[in-house]
Amino acid sequence: MAYTICEPCVGTKDTACVDVCPVDCIHTKDGERMLYIDQEECIDCGDCEPECPVEAIFAEEDTPDEYEKYVQINADFFQD
């Protein structure tokens, strides 16, 4: 299971989570309003979750129902 970045990150894009990720699986692009976790690269270490100041990161199985669509949004970001 991987971690997912959800709606609270939109417009925030705080990169504290990027700094602690041991496998560099958190990415964004110019013009994007949030960060994304590459679910194929994520090793499920959980280091990013406590670093997020807006509590936008969840283990996939712990993602609240209202943010469930962000599991697919994160996956889709890496399909292009």
Side-chain angles (χ1 to χ4, degrees):
M1 290 299 187
Y3 278 75
T4 299
I5 298 178
C6 299
E7 185 175 359
C9 184
V10 175
T12 302
K13 279 179 63 172
D14 186 288
T15 59
C17 58
V18 175
D19 295 336
V20 298
C21 180
V23 294
D24 194 31
C25 70
I26 303 171
H27 305 277
T28 194
K29 296 177 188 168
D30 287 340
E32 288 291 328
R33 298 190 62 222
M34 65 179 282
L35 301 167
Y36 302 86
I37 293 178
D38 187 334
Q39 297 164 346
E40 298 293 320
E41 293 178 6
C42 179
I43 60 171
D44 200 25
C45 69
D47 290 352
C48 58
E49 185 177 17
E51 295 301 317
C52 181
V54 293
E55 299 179 4
I57 302 174
F58 300 92
E60 186 174 341
E61 64 272 10
D62 296 332
T63 302
D65 290 342
E66 68 265 26
Y67 298 144
E68 188 64 35
K69 68 181 180 181
Y70 283 88
V71 174
Q72 189 62 49
I73 289 170
N74 277 253
D76 289 347
F77 179 80
F78 295 97
Q79 296 305 311
D80 294 338

